[in-house]
Amino acid sequence: MATTIIHNIKQLIGIQDSNVRTVSGRNLANLPVIEDAWLEIREGKINNFGSERERLPELLNGADEVIDAKHGIVAPAWCDSHTHLVFAKSREEEFVMRLQGKSYEEIAAAGGGILNSAAVLRNTPEDDLLESAQQRLNEIIRMGTGAVEIKSGYGLTPESEWKMLRVIRRLKEISPIPIKATFLGAHAVHPSFKSNPDAYVDQVINDMLPVVADEGLADYIDVFCDRGFFTPEQTERILEAGQNVGLKPKIHANELDYSGGIQVGVKHNAVSVDHLECTGNDEIAALKNSQTISTLLPQTAFFLNIDYPPARNIIDAGLPVALASDYNPGSSPSGNMFFAVALACIQMKMLPEEAINAATINGAAAMETENETGSITIGKRANLWISEPIPSYTFLPYSFGRAPIKHVIINGSIY
Ligand code: NIG
Ligand code: FE
């Protein structure tokens, strides 16, 4: 059996027992660490780890490959549980419109935003979409991401939604990291249904969804439940239809308003409710006594210049929080999880330990890959990264804007 030993690890972080699904509330601030550590990989999986003084000479002797971490830290790869990384074109012209004073919602209402992306994607061949998405996947793996969720939602017609989901399926087939697919037909109302949005909801449920289900094109169902997009009632219809064909909800909620999205998600046992910029006491009360994870996307608040989600209130209520990039062309054109972690600390006052847990083990749980990714645990995939020599993991959010990676290891091999 092929074994690899990584040694000279300054800090091995994110160690968890195999039965840990999420870390919540006060426990989020506990990031288990071994100082001066080694880690053994066998057949692409984490096989063992310990501190330098124990057993190391013997292990080094028996290894097929030895990687000297040179006093870098080793961490479980990021688990990015919310992205839209299949898209046809960037939208920097809308970025400039926002700099000139237009709001994200104004641009969307005038036919820009998601509708702009959908119009371009409709005329883009599937192979071209695959090629650009594969480049983005490659890019985020190089920045330390070891599992990712990807949504449809730039199709908005049956054919185009299926096309996007086929691209995600093809990415799954070629990807070295786990990918989860989410059907987001209800990302925006297609313009031809502008005067009758409920008829668009009918189309999502009656035309798009059956094929998505029959062909196994998605793992989850999503709705953009917010002011100007879909109402809680429409969301409820779509989630129920999705659940009837075995798709669990993972929804966009409360980005633009106190929209009722969080409550609808919780009512339907959503795996996660995502965004949550508009979250007050009622929303937090709904999240308590649920299994639903609050996924926060600080890069979106940063890029759109809107209020950040109240991470502290959510954590202090004892809840689990995940962090994700929301990588998409409109509201977060970056999949750099190091920056998401830095913003979580700088803007939402999460501690480095909390932010790292939220971007690893809790991110994995928010896309149900926690049995194979999200922590340093014997038996999980050896998806991890080795940093440059840095003083400690606290340096990661402190030195914002960088991805201080020396090596990315995917399934036990240097990527
Ligand atoms: O998660 N909020 C809804 N959807 C995306 C943005 C989509 C876009 O602008 O293209 C988001 O922020
Ligand atoms: Fe999103």
Side-chain angles (χ1 to χ4, degrees), residues 254 258-264 266 278-289 310 313-314 317 319:
N254 295 48
Y258 292 82
S259 59
I262 292 174
Q263 288 89 335
V264 177
V266 165
C278 301
T279 299
N281 293 338
D282 290 350
E283 286 75 15
I284 288 177
L287 285 161
K288 283 189 177 184
N289 303 317
N313 295 348
I314 300 172
L319 293 165

Side-chain angles (χ1 to χ4, degrees), residues 92-103 106-107:
E92 58 279 2
E93 63 294 339
E94 292 182 1
F95 168 62
V96 175
M97 286 164 75
R98 285 195 297 104
L99 300 181
Q100 291 166 332
K102 288 252 183 312
S103 74
E106 283 166 347
I107 294 167

Side-chain angles (χ1 to χ4, degrees), residues 127-362:
D127 286 350
D128 294 5
L129 288 173
L130 179 67
E131 194 185 317
S132 63
Q134 201 183 345
Q135 278 169 16
R136 289 179 205 115
L137 179 68
N138 191 9
E139 176 204 4
I140 63 170
I141 295 172
R142 285 183 193 289
M143 289 192 289
T145 294
V148 67
E149 179 262 14
I150 310 174
K151 300 171 193 298
S152 73
Y154 293 128
L156 311 182
T157 65
E159 284 305 330
S160 299
E161 282 296 311
W162 300 328
K163 177 168 74 175
M164 280 192 82
L165 289 168
R166 285 195 303 269
V167 169
I168 301 172
R169 180 163 65 191
R170 288 169 70 186
L171 278 176
K172 281 189 183 189
E173 287 162 7
I174 54 182
S175 168
I177 67 169
I179 294 180
K180 290 294 180 92
T182 299
F183 170 49
L184 177 54
H187 198 190
V189 175
H190 187 281
S192 64
F193 291 89
K194 197 170 179 182
S195 59
N196 189 3
D198 283 323
Y200 181 72
V201 173
D202 292 339
Q203 183 172 68
V204 170
I205 293 172
N206 300 325
D207 298 343
M208 298 183 194
L209 183 61
V211 175
V212 173
D214 286 351
E215 297 190 9
L217 286 170
D219 304 296
Y220 300 107
I221 183 127
D222 192 349
V223 177
F224 188 6
C225 181
D226 229 318
R227 181 175 72 205
F229 290 85
F230 295 90
T231 65
E233 294 72 29
Q234 292 168 333
T235 302
E236 189 143 36
R237 285 183 57 207
I238 296 168
L239 297 188
E240 276 169 15
Q243 285 177 306
N244 286 338
V245 294
L247 301 182
K248 293 186 193 173
K250 247 178 94 58
I251 71 168
H252 284 75
N254 295 48
E255 175 183 2
L256 307 171
D257 201 357
Y258 292 82
S259 59
I262 292 174
Q263 288 89 335
V264 177
V266 165
K267 181 174 169 197
H268 290 274
N269 294 315
V271 174
S272 68
V273 285
D274 302 27
H275 275 289
L276 278 45
E277 284 81 355
C278 301
T279 299
N281 293 338
D282 290 350
E283 286 75 15
I284 288 177
L287 285 161
K288 283 189 177 184
N289 303 317
S290 83
Q291 292 288 312
T292 301
I293 296 171
S294 300
T295 297
L296 311 182
L297 313 166
Q299 296 193 146
T300 306
F302 171 77
F303 191 69
L304 296 185
N305 232 325
I306 60 177
D307 287 343
Y308 285 80
R312 279 266 53 98
N313 295 348
I314 300 172
I315 295 169
D316 294 345
L319 293 165
V321 158
L323 288 171
S325 74
D326 199 17
Y327 193 2
N328 78 75
S331 66
S332 178
S334 164
N336 182 356
M337 288 292 287
F338 284 92
F339 190 55
V341 164
L343 283 177
C345 297
I346 297 161
Q347 296 288 352
M348 305 198 295
K349 303 285 181 277
M350 286 173 70
L351 298 170
E353 294 81 2
E354 293 175 324
I356 293 168
N357 277 323
T360 54
I361 186 70
N362 286 0

